[in-house]
Amino acid sequence: MNAPFDAPAPAEAVELGALTGSLGFLLRLAQLRVYDQFFATFAGTPVKPGEYTVLWVIHLNPGVPQGTLARVLEIKPAHMTKLVQRLVEAGLVAREVPAADRRSVHLTLTEAGQAHLERHRATFLSVHAAERVGLTDAENAELLRLLGKLAFPTEAPCP
Amino acid sequence: MNAPFDAPAPAEAVELGALTGSLGFLLRLAQLRVYDQFFATFAGTPVKPGEYTVLWVIHLNPGVPQGTLARVLEIKPAHMTKLVQRLVEAGLVAREVPAADRRSVHLTLTEAGQAHLERHRATFLSVHAAERVGLTDAENAELLRLLGKLAFPTEAPCP
DNA sequence: TATTGTTATACTCTATAACTATA
DNA sequence: TATAGTTATAGAGTATAACAATA
């Protein structure tokens, strides 16, 4: 429609058309913004979202098999191997091969891992509040509910 | 591989705690699911979300400067350079250096680019319908509205 | 044979800095 | 000096395939 040839860009008014109604496009932009919030909040610390999430879930499920962790968090096994290796090298996670099934690896937090989790827990939870800037409590709750329906399609605990 | 969504083994009950209320976590899972939908829909075609989005916006804004495109779509300039190079090599996009500012690059679709966009337009729009499986029309509209508030934050800070 | 995890390779996206050529 | 774009490098995340050890 409006094709500026030689005219200087007015104010970067770019037509996006149906893109503004694209769930994938909006999810990407929203996630970029939320990630910016996360990294800004944890600036100066070694905390990264994927790693901290893994520590969080291991804490809540001590001894969880690595493969189960990968499936639940939808992290590919090959990636999970390297992620866990980093956490083990950092002294935060301990691996244990159970006698019952020596193929598997069960994960627990070390004391340093527990301390790391506790040290950043309040900040981690505060990010959830910062992320939703501009949304009312009701809007935030509804957004989480709708995203939950997309993220966990088989679970339907809302009668 | 064949099923649109893989049913998680019901025996793997893993406690996620506050993670289920984490906007970043839910955004990531929702985006993974939407991307799976996209790639399943475009299986067998060369269409990729980032590239098709760029073609889409160039079509709506012929002659758009590459840097403007990068800022609007929140794609880093270094990445945009390589993305556009691929599209130029594929014969879908033409670059033009305007005499008015020979530093900049203005982008337009070639005829092949137009044809490519048209050929996949219906499928691209159909993904938007498929993405929201499980949501009612009202829920989908509300989700898009709330994500839009996150994705396009108004410049009105609330002190 | 199937499963669990590992290694290896490759590709996308991101982050950063240094560089050019313009302005 | 500042801007637009490029090149280069590094890293994270993802997708595959092949593999070893175990079941």
Side-chain angles (χ1 to χ4, degrees):
Chain A
M1 293 304 180
N2 45 356
F5 276 164
D6 310 315
E12 296 207 334
V14 174
E15 176 62 40
L16 296 178
L19 223 44
T20 58
S22 164
L23 187 51
F25 181 66
L26 291 175
L27 282 173
R28 175 175 171 274
L29 290 187
Q31 192 169 21
L32 284 176
R33 185 141 181 280
V34 166
Y35 269 52
D36 281 348
Q37 269 287 353
F38 187 98
F39 288 115
T41 303
F42 282 102
T45 80
V47 176
K48 293 191 291 184
E51 293 182 358
Y52 195 82
T53 298
V54 165
L55 293 176
W56 182 276
V57 176
I58 295 174
H59 168 69
L60 290 177
N61 304 270
V64 61
Q66 182 171 314
T68 299
L69 194 57
R71 275 186 294 276
V72 168
L73 298 181
E74 295 197 39
I75 294 174
K76 288 286 178 293
H79 180 208
M80 182 61 82
T81 293
K82 289 195 284 187
L83 200 162
V84 168
Q85 279 175 349
R86 289 202 299 271
L87 296 176
V88 169
E89 284 162 14
L92 303 177
V93 165
R95 299 157 43 99
E96 183 219 346
V97 174
D101 184 347
R102 304 196 42 240
R103 295 172 305 181
S104 66
V105 174
H106 289 195
L107 304 174
T108 53
L109 294 189
T110 63
E111 285 192 17
Q114 291 278 357
H116 179 92
L117 192 81
E118 292 303 329
R119 182 158 57 246
H120 300 289
R121 179 195 293 272
T123 307
F124 184 69
L125 294 174
S126 79
V127 174
H128 298 162
E131 284 168 347
R132 35 164 293 209
V133 165
L135 268 54
T136 67
D137 285 354
E139 285 177 333
N140 185 56
E142 180 68 358
L143 177 57
L144 293 177
R145 186 184 76 82
L146 295 174
L147 285 175
K149 289 186 73 168
L150 288 180
F152 307 110
T154 54
E155 299 180 8
C158 32
Chain B
M1 187 198 299
N2 37 16
F5 26 73
D6 34 285
E12 296 187 332
V14 173
E15 177 62 40
L16 296 178
L19 223 46
T20 59
S22 164
L23 186 50
F25 181 66
L26 291 176
L27 282 173
R28 175 175 170 273
L29 291 187
Q31 192 169 20
L32 284 176
R33 184 140 181 280
V34 166
Y35 268 52
D36 281 348
Q37 270 288 354
F38 187 98
F39 288 115
T41 303
F42 282 102
T45 79
V47 177
K48 293 192 290 184
E51 294 182 356
Y52 195 82
T53 298
V54 165
L55 293 176
W56 183 277
V57 177
I58 295 175
H59 168 69
L60 290 177
N61 304 270
V64 61
Q66 183 171 312
T68 300
L69 194 58
R71 275 188 293 278
V72 168
L73 299 181
E74 295 198 40
I75 295 174
K76 289 286 179 293
H79 182 209
M80 183 61 83
T81 292
K82 289 195 284 187
L83 199 161
V84 168
Q85 278 174 349
R86 288 201 301 270
L87 295 176
V88 169
E89 285 163 13
L92 303 177
V93 166
R95 300 158 42 100
E96 183 219 345
V97 174
D101 184 348
R102 303 196 43 238
R103 296 172 304 182
S104 66
V105 174
H106 290 195
L107 304 174
T108 54
L109 295 190
T110 63
E111 284 192 18
Q114 291 278 357
H116 180 91
L117 192 81
E118 292 303 328
R119 182 159 54 246
H120 299 290
R121 180 194 294 271
T123 307
F124 184 69
L125 294 174
S126 80
V127 175
H128 299 163
E131 284 168 348
R132 55 156 140 153
V133 166
L135 268 56
T136 68
D137 285 354
E139 285 177 333
N140 184 57
E142 180 69 359
L143 177 57
L144 293 177
R145 186 183 75 82
L146 296 173
L147 285 176
K149 290 187 73 167
L150 289 179
F152 307 111
T154 61
E155 268 104 40
C158 23

